[in-house]
Amino acid sequence: MDRITTLDEFIIDKQKDFSFATGELSGLLRDIGVAAKIVNREVNRAGLVNILGLEGGKNKTGDDVQKLDMFANDKLIDYLKNSGECSGIASEELESFVKLPTKEGKEAKYVVVVDPLDGSSNIDVNVSVGTIFGIYRRISDHGKECELKDFLQEGNKLVAAGFVLYGTSTILMYTTGNGVNGFTLDPSLGEFCLSHQNIKIPDEGKYYSVNQGYYLQFDLEMRRYIDHCSDTKRSLRYIGSMVSDIHRNIIKGGIFLYPNSRKNPLGKLRLLYECNPMALIVEQAGGKAINTNLERILDINPTSLHQKSPIIIGSKSMVDEFETFVRKYTPNGENI
Ligand code: AHM
């Protein structure tokens, strides 16, 4: 039998590739891995909540039952706080970023952006959800508290990004800008084990993922592209959980679209917590990610923590093809 490689072993091994590495980023990634296992345990127990008498927002000792997305948020913050490598965290669940206390003798170089439980509206119905994270090197003085500008960096400045998908199995994929590797949680060992080494997204795929219920609210070029996907007999697959939809497309090939609509003129997904980390992973796997103005997602300059962005992401030739529809059908070439 081939020897398995655990996430921790892999991270430590990769650290050796960088002679200047001090182990801080590795420590941070390992802490995220541990937090992911705890969130995974709770997500898997979610269906038991009522059976265990926790309905009505109270448990048997009268404590409030925490919503799972807040639970995931708090666990991630706890673990990053302990690591001492992270000076702050901006979460989709929180209005402002959290400054983490520095540990004595340490100058935490990094800040983390996170969507603790993406697609959380799916939990009640047993559909896969995920955690998305990104890590930036601080641009403020390392000896002091982190600042807003540390988080408002373009996605191309991310030093690492990843996601955890709590699906039929739990998988963690991450990149430090040198390809993407995936690790599947072996519940019997309690370890993430290397299962998808240097994964590459197929250049072409048969899936398109979009909430077609909003079709009439989309711009003309988007509608024409969706018509084209349907005319060319591509299969529509939309879980409504970005991590799951993009993960499937990374493995099988496909395109995921969350565009602007009349209801949501800037789309729905957040640039910092969802679009940027997923864009880095997909690009590192050989794919492409742009907005509906054909700008590279990773080059968008963020101006606020909860900024939204339309996103088109997936197999490179499919995103290229989408671009040709935008160029052809955008009235008077507006915005491009
Ligand atoms: P949520 O985390 O509040 O559930 O929202 C994020 C999710 C994404 O995972 C998913 O792609 C999208 O919202 C689905 O939105 P819609 O229901 O509008 O298609």
Side-chain angles (χ1 to χ4, degrees), residues 118-121 211 214 238 240-242 256 258 268-269 274:
D118 182 69
S120 49
S121 52
N211 189 335
Y214 301 147
Y238 191 70
S241 174
M242 184 197 203
F256 172 90
Y258 206 107
K268 173 183 179 188
L269 302 177
E274 292 163 319

Side-chain angles (χ1 to χ4, degrees), residues 52-69:
L52 297 176
L54 303 184
E55 78 273 9
K58 299 266 180 208
N59 65 20
K60 282 178 178 159
T61 54
D63 300 327
D64 285 336
V65 175
Q66 223 177 354
K67 277 181 69 194
L68 256 184
D69 36 17

